[in-house]
Amino acid sequence: MTPADRQPRPPLRIAVLASGRGSNLLAILDAIAAGILDATVAGVFSDKSRAPVLERARSAGLDAHALVPREFPNRLEFDAAMFDAIEQTAPDLVVCAGYMRLISEPQVTRMAGRMVNIHPSLLPAFKGLHTHQQALDAGVAHHGASVHFVTPELDGGPVIAQARVPVMPGDDAEVLSARVLEREHPLLVAVLRAFAAGRIALEDGRVTFDGMAIHAPLQLGLDNALTPAPHPAA
Ligand code: GAR
């Protein structure tokens, strides 16, 4: 550890991008309020002017902004305006928490290594939509959620960490989705805690944890801490 590593770090500045109900935003805010996460939410951004997440953000006293795609000539210009607005909040990290639009390549490149997404599956399995139904249809024994760096490929960037849940007999998509969501929240908080502590980075396209490239996603334990996956050779 160098002396610079021992300096107290400023709170992680987070911008949240979301299209829907905002339970992941609330999990972040609860963790900050509980003193578990040393961060501040610098702004909340949505592509849906009526998304419940905006109201939840405003109730918490946060700046919340909606930019509506149909008011822009095309996707590139919409995304540029969205990320210009996000940059104004000077975030260390952009968190896509239920943001249901593909982000175009120039903005992804602009945010390289500074933007993560939470996705409700054990990536690379079940990209895209209806992941819980996809998991049930595939008959898998385990399902879960992943937090990954955002790259231009849909749900395809390097995976940082995952939380696993069992699929139970009789599950339907709704029941399974609720079981996953319960673990999504601590997963996202654990990953953000690791960012806040400077433990996670993207280097040469690979995730590093404490300065070492990981060979598999970190795993969320029952204690809600992240642990490296066992090495395949071990
Ligand atoms: C979460 O389950 C998140 O994983 C999912 O949307 C939900 C948002 O919930 N994201 C995706 O499907 C992205 N591909 P929330 O609005 O309550 O946080």
Side-chain angles (χ1 to χ4, degrees), residues 6 11 37 41 58 63 134 140 152 155 174 183 188 207 212 215 230-231:
R6 286 190 214 106
L37 174 60
V41 176
R58 290 181 187 127
D63 280 337
Q134 289 190 56
V140 291
D155 302 325
E174 198 180 327
R183 298 304 288 152
L188 185 56
V207 177
M212 303 270 286
H215 61 87
H231 198 279

Side-chain angles (χ1 to χ4, degrees), residues 20-25 97-100 117-120 128 155 181 184:
R21 77 195 145 182
S23 72
N24 277 288
L25 170 69
Y99 187 62
M100 303 310 278
N117 178 46
I118 183 150
H119 180 78
D155 302 325
L181 191 68
E184 278 190 38

Side-chain angles (χ1 to χ4, degrees), residues 4 35 48 74 83 89 141 163 171 192 205:
K48 300 254 190 284
N74 55 47
F83 281 85
T89 67
D171 275 354
L192 295 180

